[in-house]
Amino acid sequence: MPPKAKKGPSDKAKGGEDEREDPLQAVILADPFETRFSPLTLERPRCLLPLANTPLIEYTFEFLANAGVEEVFVYCGAHREQVEEYIKASKWSAVSSPFSKLELIRSTSHSIGDAMRDLDARGLLVGDFLMVYGDVVSNLPLESALAMHRARRAKDKNAIMTMVLREAGTHHRTKAQGISPIFVIDPTKDRCLHFEQMPNKEQTHYLSIDPELLSDNQELEIRQDLIDCGIDICTPDVLALWSDNFDFQAPRKGFLHSVLKDYELNGKTIHTHIVTDHYAARVRNLHAYNSVSKDILSRWAYPLCPDSNLLQGQSYRLQKGNIYKEEGVVLARDCVIRPKTVIGRGTSIGEGSIISNSIIGRNCYIGRDVKIEGAYIWDYATIGDGCDVKQAIIADEAAIGNKCTVEPGAVISYGVKIGQGMTIRGDRRITRAKRRKEDGEDIITGEPNIAIVGEKGDGFEYQDPESEDEDEVVDGLVPGGPLYTMANLSLSVESISTLNSDIEDDEDDYHPQRSAAGSFVSIGSTDSHASEHAANFDHDAAASIYDSLVEGHESANVQLELTSLRMSTNASEHQVRRAVVVAFVKRIAQLMKAGTSVRDAVAQVFGQHKELLDRTMFDKDLSGKVDQVDFMLLLQADLARKENGDIILLSAATKLVEMDVIEEEGMQQWWADVKSCEAEEMKRVREKTQQLIDFLEQSSEEESSEEEDEDEDEEDDSE
Amino acid sequence: MPQGAVAATPGLQSFIKSLKSTPVEPSIEHLISLLKRRQIRSSRPCAIATAALLLRVVGEVRGRDAGKLLRRIREVGKRLTAAQPREVVVGNIVRRVLGLVREVTEDNADTDTNANSEMSHSFHAQHDSLHRPQLSSSISTFSPLKNAVTEPLDTNLHQSDISESAEPAKRPSLQTSHTSYAQSTPMIGSLFGLFSHPDTPSTASTPTGFQSPAGKDSSITALNLDRLADLSTSKVDLKAEVLDGIRELQDELEQSDDLIAANALDHIHSNEIILTHTASTTVQKFLLAAARKRKFTVVHAEAYPNDHTATHATVLTGKKRYDENDDAEDQWKPLTAAGITVVLIPDSHVFAIMSRVNKVILATHTVLANGGLVAAAGAHMIAKAAKVHQTPVVVVSGVYKLSPVYPFDVDELIEYGDAGNIVPYEDGDFVDKVDVDNPLYDYVPADLVDLYITNLGGHAPSYLYRIVADHYRAEDITL
């Protein structure tokens, strides 16, 4: 397509030189790095799941083509190869594609934040761009939103982002159910001032707003009635902000929330464009899958309807009552097709079956006297005679035996076989795949669980690694009560962790301390969201130190890296120490596994990095050795769960005293600290260190002036 | 957009623009996706886009093989109509072009016959039988002389092509080739010519006999003999003729509104009350043409919910706000500026006001072969109300909207649109519990329409089949 820039030269002059002739670019985040569609996403990427028998990403592409986007970058996460293959074969990469450029970006990102930072590093985006997810369904023309965005940009360089939001009343099936996003908006400037995600639970109907917002703005709108369809018009500054903040992971909860809070700091404003017509929604979870499917069938998303036959080779036709049938459907004479149903090619439906409100894919076989209501049955599925299926998802090639009942909310994944006469409870999610399919390798199938799938069945119940997630997904298909927990929020952060799980476990133990440290920092600095960043700092810092230890970097370099990381996330001293401890202990454990003796391992790890350790504690001259105690506590806690933790603790403590990293007073204060002997585990791990303490006490009593010499002797004695 | 929206939503304009720079195959795909996405919609843009695309397609086809050309156009047409079967106009244009190709080939066959006739007259009869009745209305710029000069032929080639691609070619002809020449002579200019002389017999029906065949024959053969050696030009000619024909078709698309408007004074009289519906350009031009000479009152039903914004804009400014044709010449004034009283009413008031209305003028989406029409939703109700009050219903429509499709299944022709136009999507309870149908079109049966005004003049609904027969070949009706 030629550039369709039809703007006059006068406009350009107004709009500033840098805005001219930029083709409209878009980034599709094909993988939102969530597990809400598990186990369906174990074998197929989310963006290729069929919505009304058309892969989700088609809708996104249609939307972009509709909006006149010219260059598209697709960010793949899991199942990259499948996405690539699909896009290569699709019309979007053909010559006739409305996009002049369609590029797939491979990256090893594990969160949206990583993806954005990666994108910034690549420098592909030249001007304003659209950021959407691979699951957006919308028929919205973006002209006015873009025009307003540009107008704001021309006036104020700091208007970096415009979010497109759809108004949707107080109750709406397509709105996010578990957590409502809350936007505080200045209606005079369409500026978003505050953002929060509020769980839909009875007890937490509070929103905390900065009092300054109330005094600074004449008018405020606090809106909860908006569908956040994840369509953002961004400027390159947005990417820069992502890069500046290592810890942003989620675009709304992380990025938006923080940027708005830090308005004083960075001066960036984010605006909203609220539309009251056209359709815009995201298929963010199974519940949304259900409601968006319904919207599409009821033609709310027109012209994105099955009978538009978006995909090549589709031949859906609309019949009265929103029944969409493709050519080549075989219907028995007395089966009943009720309204709002889609039936794909090659599907046959047996006598006496009743289908209503359902979407059935291609080449399915549905037996006699089957009742299907509100179900989503994908391609090549088989449903035996006399079954009763309600509001469930039955994925490709799944087979359900005769006289089964599938209760509302069940998800039956690819290739699962259910034996005769079984009842699948609504909270079950049955799969054959053990874990996410990596590129190229075959699916690893688990042992069938006969109790669930019955005789001759295949499949087992899917256990979500993040158990908190479960109730959300179950809630997914069946519109039940709001069962959500706040845990779903943190999920996106946690599930992406690539690091040893030690850190997370640790987090729980020390949570009170951590948040205290966080709030302390927030008082000290303008940064008030330090605690939020903490977890990310822990990951990054510990990982980077650990890597340096393995590769044997100079202490000074490690120090430098750590400092920069600390600065960028405004982490507390406590966190730095934590990161150091975690990394050191991990390294020691690794060395020991490799056959090194405890002493050597400790000597090797601690000995080389005296400088680094010194820089984590700043209380040498004080009488109360708070930092040193803290360090020791962290070490103790970390070792409490390690094998041979007590031995390591002893030799580490000895080494530290020997190196004079921890002073004797520090050691003794630690020993006396309540926290170090509170829990059973903590007590156990420090038992062996008793000898060191005893010795230290003796020596300090005898000759308090010659500590150093004593230390050396004492070390020999103690071991 | 005031601030220069860089990324305009793709549509007819961007398509026409891109057509010049993009190769044919991607252009076809492009149009298909635009049609599917409804970015090109309603009859005129569809017709314009299709004609422009076919111009490219024909221009790209290599070789002199008419059969190949036909197959190619047919194939493209099939894909386009499959993309959006309810935009019947796309199929119409494709059929018109197919007819064009057939006509050119058959004409070639004629000249060839003439050339051969000198050598063996026995051949003549055979050729005539191959030749279907001439549809001179589609190609009106033919003069026998030009024809003869520019069309030397490869007989065998064309014969085989015709017999392979057009089965009904064996049908006995009603007239000889000479008549068609003679007949087309007075019709230089436009299609309108044909119907402005109602005496001119429809070629399909009555042969007019021979008009000095001898004299013509001799001159043609003399010229032809010279050309017979030079066969290479023939392919250029086939294509050039077809391309000319398509351009003419494009002209027709452009002019049809004006030609229709030319009839306005015959139908609208002073002090009448005219009821119309939707923001149709054709109707507006029609009324404006009448408004130059006469004073009357227009009652405008607003066509809620799918077309009301455009209707309001038309009433206020005389122009749909987002009209595709943004040229300066299209800047016409609203009816009110011409001194016409315009009353905008909701659709629900149509029946109440119908008793006072003298004439209903309807725009249309498609006219079907049986005289029925598919028009914006609400048209059926208006037509029925008019019937009750015995108010004449006049439908204005370009011939390009006239389709050879017979409405066996009316439901198939009706498109259902965005439910959100009727009920706001914000109303969550409603969306969840109520199904909303929003038909974009109505089917109006033929018996509710009194008169069609096309760019060829006025016709009774029962006469439309004749126009269909004149414009489309029987063998093209199913693509």
Side-chain angles (χ1 to χ4, degrees):
Chain A
M1 235 185 272
K4 46 196 62 135
K6 241 193 83 185
K7 51 182 194 177
S10 58
D11 287 335
K12 271 183 215 158
K14 243 186 280 166
E17 286 296 297
D18 50 342
E19 280 176 41
R20 79 164 54 192
E21 291 304 325
D22 288 342
L24 187 57
Q25 295 175 313
V27 178
I28 300 179
L29 299 165
D31 190 341
F33 305 102
E34 291 164 345
T35 55
R36 299 200 168 132
F37 278 90
S38 294
L40 299 170
T41 42
L42 290 182
E43 291 163 61
R44 218 194 268 188
R46 182 200 275 206
C47 61
L48 296 186
L49 299 182
L51 179 76
N53 292 342
T54 303
L56 268 174
I57 199 161
E58 285 290 323
Y59 294 95
T60 312
F61 279 136
E62 286 291 341
F63 164 68
L64 293 179
N66 222 334
V69 170
E70 286 178 53
E71 294 183 7
V72 177
F73 301 95
V74 182
Y75 236 97
C76 308
H79 307 292
R80 198 197 70 231
E81 288 188 351
Q82 283 187 51
V83 180
E84 246 179 66
E85 206 176 297
Y86 178 82
I87 291 179
K88 283 232 174 75
S90 73
K91 64 178 170 179
W92 305 105
S93 41
V95 200
S96 58
S97 157
F99 310 130
S100 59
K101 195 167 168 189
L102 177 64
E103 203 171 293
L104 277 111
I105 297 177
R106 306 157 180 220
S107 81
T108 53
S109 311
H110 287 277
S111 73
I112 289 167
D114 291 349
M116 299 314 288
R117 287 183 274 276
D118 184 53
L119 206 56
D120 189 36
R122 284 170 201 260
L124 292 165
L125 301 165
V126 286
D128 292 5
F129 63 96
L130 270 174
M131 194 171 83
V132 296
Y133 289 94
D135 51 13
V136 165
V137 180
S138 175
N139 59 3
L140 193 72
L142 276 179
E143 270 168 335
S144 59
L146 277 170
M148 283 168 76
H149 174 77
R150 293 213 164 89
R152 273 195 292 268
R153 275 285 280 170
K155 245 186 269 165
D156 179 9
K157 280 271 177 255
N158 282 325
I160 54 165
M161 190 163 113
T162 303
M163 297 179 288
V164 180
L165 306 168
R166 173 71 167 93
E167 206 172 277
T170 36
H171 294 288
H172 203 288
R173 65 180 179 202
T174 314
K175 272 197 332 189
Q177 296 294 309
I179 326 138
S180 354
I182 305 216
F183 295 89
V184 179
I185 296 163
D186 177 358
T188 52
K189 294 179 202 140
D190 287 332
R191 201 184 126 196
C192 185
L193 298 167
H194 183 79
F195 171 80
E196 201 129 305
Q197 278 182 328
M198 187 179 275
N200 275 354
K201 266 163 116 187
E202 276 76 23
Q203 60 265 45
T204 49
H205 277 314
Y206 298 107
L207 176 74
S208 52
I209 301 180
D210 190 351
E212 277 182 27
L213 289 185
L214 297 175
S215 56
D216 289 354
N217 295 281
Q218 293 279 319
E219 254 181 276
L220 274 187
E221 273 181 5
I222 300 174
R223 302 191 66 163
Q224 179 258 321
D225 62 334
L226 301 167
I227 294 179
D228 180 5
C229 42
I231 302 168
D232 296 340
I233 305 166
C234 306
T235 58
D237 293 2
V238 170
L239 289 182
L241 264 183
W242 277 99
S243 289
D244 289 348
N245 296 276
F246 278 80
D247 55 327
F248 289 170
Q249 301 292 0
R252 286 286 182 266
K253 188 180 155 271
F255 179 80
L256 178 63
H257 184 84
S258 310
V259 170
L260 291 177
K261 276 218 154 134
D262 291 355
Y263 172 64
E264 255 99 272
L265 212 67
N266 51 32
K268 307 288 187 204
T269 58
I270 292 178
H271 295 259
T272 54
H273 182 82
I274 295 168
V275 287
T276 50
D277 49 1
H278 293 96
Y279 187 82
R282 253 192 81 192
V283 183
R284 59 176 76 232
N285 52 27
L286 286 175
H287 176 88
Y289 180 86
N290 185 24
S291 48
V292 174
S293 295
K294 281 183 184 164
D295 289 344
I296 285 175
L297 293 204
S298 304
R299 304 186 79 84
W300 295 99
Y302 173 88
L304 301 174
C305 306
D307 65 329
S308 296
N309 296 319
L310 298 176
L311 221 55
Q312 220 147 34
Q314 282 181 331
S315 56
Y316 287 99
R317 293 210 155 188
L318 172 67
Q319 295 173 347
K320 271 251 160 67
N322 291 341
I323 297 173
Y324 304 86
K325 270 196 301 202
E326 215 170 354
E327 282 164 13
V329 174
V330 183
L331 300 178
R333 182 164 290 204
D334 58 351
C335 73
V336 182
I337 309 294
R338 295 248 166 86
K340 291 194 277 185
T341 300
V342 180
I343 303 175
R345 178 181 302 157
T347 290
S348 71
I349 295 174
E351 286 169 26
S353 293
I354 300 171
I355 317 279
S356 60
N357 288 331
S358 300
I359 296 176
I360 299 174
R362 284 183 172 177
N363 301 311
C364 290
Y365 170 83
I366 288 163
R368 299 169 174 201
D369 299 318
V370 177
K371 283 198 186 68
I372 297 178
E373 202 186 313
Y376 300 93
I377 296 170
W378 298 353
D379 300 351
Y380 294 101
T382 309
I383 293 175
D385 297 350
C387 282
D388 192 351
V389 181
K390 283 203 178 79
Q391 294 179 318
I393 291 181
I394 296 173
D396 291 19
E397 292 170 42
I400 293 176
N402 296 343
K403 298 205 167 47
C404 285
T405 308
V406 181
E407 291 182 352
V411 175
I412 296 175
S413 185
Y414 309 92
V416 169
K417 289 190 180 64
I418 308 283
Q420 295 209 349
M422 296 302 295
T423 299
I424 306 298
R425 284 215 325 266
D427 55 353
R428 293 249 198 257
R429 288 179 287 154
I430 300 172
T431 181
R432 280 202 315 157
K434 263 216 146 102
R435 59 189 179 84
R436 176 165 288 176
K437 188 170 132 189
E438 297 300 327
D439 294 332
E441 77 184 22
D442 285 337
I443 318 153
I444 297 167
T445 50
E447 280 295 302
N449 181 348
I450 302 295
I452 293 174
V453 296
E455 288 287 314
K456 292 184 194 162
D458 190 3
F460 55 91
E461 186 169 3
Y462 174 74
Q463 296 295 342
D464 207 310
E466 294 89 25
S467 52
E468 308 98 310
D469 194 24
E470 198 143 358
D471 45 9
E472 183 192 17
V473 179
V474 172
D475 189 45
L477 261 185
V478 189
L483 293 163
Y484 298 81
T485 55
M486 196 62 183
N488 292 324
L489 280 180
S490 55
L491 181 109
S492 52
V493 179
E494 269 168 28
S495 62
I496 47 143
S497 156
T498 53
L499 219 66
N500 198 317
S501 59
D502 290 1
I503 297 172
E504 261 125 36
D505 300 346
D506 208 40
E507 215 165 73
D508 300 331
D509 290 357
Y510 268 73
H511 196 68
Q513 268 195 15
R514 241 265 314 281
S515 56
S519 61
F520 170 74
V521 170
S522 66
I523 296 163
S525 71
T526 47
D527 194 344
S528 57
H529 56 278
S531 61
E532 267 178 38
H533 296 179
N536 308 310
F537 171 78
D538 289 346
H539 290 308
D540 294 347
S544 98
I545 299 169
Y546 178 71
D547 288 346
S548 310
L549 289 175
V550 172
E551 285 161 34
H553 286 172
E554 290 275 310
S555 191
N557 292 348
V558 182
Q559 171 70 25
L560 195 66
E561 201 172 321
L562 188 61
T563 312
S564 68
L565 201 52
R566 188 174 70 81
M567 294 303 204
S568 70
T569 56
N570 207 354
S572 65
E573 299 293 344
H574 170 81
Q575 283 173 271
V576 175
R577 283 193 286 277
R578 234 165 70 87
V580 170
V581 165
V582 167
F584 275 36
V585 168
K586 202 173 163 196
R587 176 66 180 154
I588 289 168
Q590 197 207 23
L591 284 171
M592 281 170 65
K593 230 179 227 170
T596 325
S597 76
V598 179
R599 226 187 123 192
D600 290 351
V602 170
Q604 195 184 332
V605 176
F606 281 84
Q608 284 172 9
H609 297 285
K610 180 176 186 313
E611 213 178 314
L612 180 63
L613 295 169
D614 278 342
R615 291 288 187 87
T616 60
M617 286 163 268
F618 306 93
D619 50 3
K620 281 267 157 71
D621 309 327
L622 306 169
S623 57
K625 310 287 185 192
V626 185
D627 289 358
Q628 295 182 16
V629 171
D630 185 39
F631 184 88
M632 284 310 292
L633 277 173
L634 286 165
L635 187 63
Q636 186 187 1
D638 203 45
L639 284 167
R641 257 161 297 122
K642 282 274 191 295
E643 217 182 321
N644 296 330
D646 42 359
I647 305 174
I648 301 174
L649 182 62
L650 171 62
S651 57
T654 318
K655 182 77 187 166
L656 286 169
V657 174
E658 178 194 330
M659 284 159 65
D660 200 22
V661 171
I662 306 280
E663 291 161 293
E664 278 172 39
E665 290 95 329
M667 204 52 95
Q668 277 156 7
Q669 282 176 18
W670 161 62
W671 196 256
D673 196 294
V674 197
K675 277 188 215 125
S676 82
C677 52
E678 259 175 354
E680 200 54 40
E681 276 183 340
M682 298 285 266
K683 261 186 199 161
R684 192 176 47 72
V685 79
R686 72 173 208 166
E687 269 167 12
K688 288 219 168 124
T689 321
Q690 181 74 44
Q691 17 177 325
L692 171 66
I693 300 297
D694 289 349
F695 181 83
L696 285 177
E697 271 168 10
Q698 278 172 25
S699 61
S700 62
E701 275 164 26
E702 282 165 16
E703 14 178 347
S704 50
S705 57
E706 290 176 18
E707 290 147 346
E708 281 163 39
D709 300 345
E710 285 302 332
D711 283 351
E712 272 160 34
D713 297 342
E714 155 252 298
E715 184 213 347
D716 293 337
D717 291 349
S718 65
E719 290 187 5
Chain B
M1 293 303 121
Q3 272 293 323
V6 171
T9 311
L12 180 62
Q13 295 255 306
S14 71
F15 174 72
I16 298 284
K17 231 189 251 171
S18 78
L19 205 53
K20 287 179 196 118
S21 54
T22 342
V24 171
E25 200 54 39
S27 293
I28 297 169
E29 286 298 326
H30 186 188
L31 181 58
I32 287 175
S33 57
L34 286 175
L35 285 172
K36 279 192 178 178
R37 241 175 270 136
R38 313 291 206 273
Q39 282 170 331
I40 294 184
R41 59 186 311 158
S42 85
S43 295
R44 184 199 311 275
C46 282
I48 293 171
T50 313
L53 179 71
L54 287 179
L55 196 66
R56 277 298 302 270
V57 170
V58 172
E60 272 323 91
V61 173
R62 296 238 175 94
R64 55 175 79 170
D65 189 342
K68 197 173 138 198
L69 187 61
L70 285 173
R71 276 195 299 278
R72 172 73 174 152
I73 296 171
R74 192 180 277 244
E75 178 248 338
V76 172
K78 259 188 195 155
R79 284 162 62 193
L80 292 178
T81 42
Q84 192 46 274
R86 293 191 185 94
E87 293 290 2
V88 186
V89 173
V90 174
N92 295 350
I93 299 293
V94 172
R95 290 187 187 101
R96 291 279 290 267
V97 173
L98 282 171
L100 215 59
V101 178
R102 289 182 200 284
E103 191 168 345
V104 172
T105 33
E106 282 154 24
D107 273 354
N108 289 345
D110 285 345
T111 26
D112 199 54
T113 316
N114 294 333
N116 286 344
S117 64
E118 210 172 52
M119 297 160 217
S120 65
H121 274 277
S122 62
F123 240 36
H124 202 107
Q126 194 205 339
H127 271 299
D128 275 348
S129 71
L130 272 174
H131 177 55
R132 279 197 74 251
Q134 192 68 50
L135 286 179
S136 44
S137 56
S138 305
I139 295 184
S140 43
T141 46
F142 275 173
S143 81
L145 198 65
K146 177 190 164 206
N147 219 5
V149 168
T150 50
E151 276 173 48
L153 278 211
D154 183 339
T155 328
N156 297 322
L157 184 79
H158 282 291
Q159 270 178 324
S160 62
D161 290 338
I162 290 162
S163 48
E164 129 189 34
S165 55
E167 316 80 60
K170 292 274 149 54
R171 239 204 266 167
S173 166
L174 289 173
Q175 60 180 147
T176 64
S177 54
H178 308 287
T179 18
S180 68
Y181 284 150
Q183 223 176 298
S184 52
T185 323
M187 278 193 264
I188 308 163
S190 78
L191 301 176
F192 190 53
L194 170 66
F195 293 91
S196 59
H197 304 291
D199 301 349
T200 313
S202 172
T203 47
S205 49
T206 38
T208 30
F210 300 90
Q211 297 190 349
S212 64
K216 250 176 196 155
D217 246 0
S218 60
S219 67
I220 286 165
T221 37
L223 285 163
N224 252 344
L225 277 175
D226 298 333
R227 296 288 176 309
L228 269 175
D230 178 26
L231 289 172
S232 63
T233 45
S234 88
K235 73 175 173 200
V236 180
D237 271 339
L238 170 65
K239 241 162 75 174
E241 293 289 347
V242 175
L243 290 178
D244 276 350
I246 297 176
R247 286 197 194 98
E248 207 170 305
L249 196 59
Q250 289 179 314
D251 288 346
E252 183 198 320
L253 293 179
E254 232 165 68
Q255 294 163 3
S256 72
D257 280 351
D258 295 326
L259 291 173
I260 292 168
N263 296 310
L265 288 177
D266 300 341
H267 297 279
I268 296 177
H269 309 291
S270 290
N271 299 323
E272 275 188 330
I273 297 176
I274 309 285
L275 185 135
T276 186
H277 181 229
T278 76
S280 157
T281 316
T282 315
V283 173
Q284 285 300 307
K285 285 195 174 170
F286 190 78
L287 294 176
L288 264 177
R292 277 190 209 110
K293 292 254 173 73
R294 307 214 164 114
K295 292 280 167 261
F296 51 97
T297 306
V298 172
V299 179
H300 207 142
E302 64 174 355
Y304 188 84
N306 295 312
D307 204 25
H308 64 285
T309 40
T311 306
H312 293 173
T314 310
V315 170
L316 287 174
T317 65
K319 192 166 185 314
K320 296 179 213 173
R321 199 156 296 153
Y322 304 112
D323 203 355
E324 298 275 359
N325 312 318
D326 239 343
D327 339 23
E329 57 166 339
D330 260 14
Q331 297 282 359
W332 12 281
K333 286 173 286 179
L335 278 172
T336 43
I340 302 293
T341 314
V342 181
V343 183
L344 187 72
I345 59 163
D347 299 352
S348 51
H349 294 186
V350 164
F351 189 84
I353 210 161
M354 190 57 83
S355 58
R356 310 185 50 164
V357 171
N358 297 99
K359 205 163 273 165
V360 174
I361 296 183
L362 288 181
T364 170
H365 179 66
T366 312
V367 181
L368 302 169
N370 70 340
L373 67 137
V374 176
H380 192 189
M381 178 190 68
I382 293 173
K384 277 224 152 180
K387 185 83 178 171
V388 170
H389 289 282
Q390 301 299 336
T391 312
V393 175
V394 178
V395 175
V396 290
S397 155
V399 165
Y400 68 93
K401 289 184 183 174
L402 180 57
S403 162
V405 173
Y406 196 89
F408 293 110
D409 184 1
V410 172
D411 286 340
E412 284 285 286
L413 294 165
I414 309 281
E415 183 174 351
Y416 285 84
D418 184 2
N421 283 344
I422 300 178
V423 177
Y425 183 68
E426 293 91 288
D427 195 341
D429 290 336
F430 211 105
V431 168
D432 207 19
K433 292 177 184 126
V434 180
D435 281 333
V436 185
D437 273 354
N438 176 15
L440 298 182
Y441 302 119
D442 262 355
Y443 172 69
V444 182
D447 58 332
L448 299 182
V449 180
D450 295 290
L451 185 70
Y452 279 98
I453 301 174
T454 69
N455 39 340
L456 304 180
H459 319 281
S462 56
Y463 181 76
L464 287 180
Y465 81 97
R466 290 275 289 273
I467 305 181
V468 168
D470 280 352
H471 284 81
Y472 305 101
R473 297 296 184 98
E475 56 265 44
D476 292 332
I477 286 178
T478 38
L479 275 176

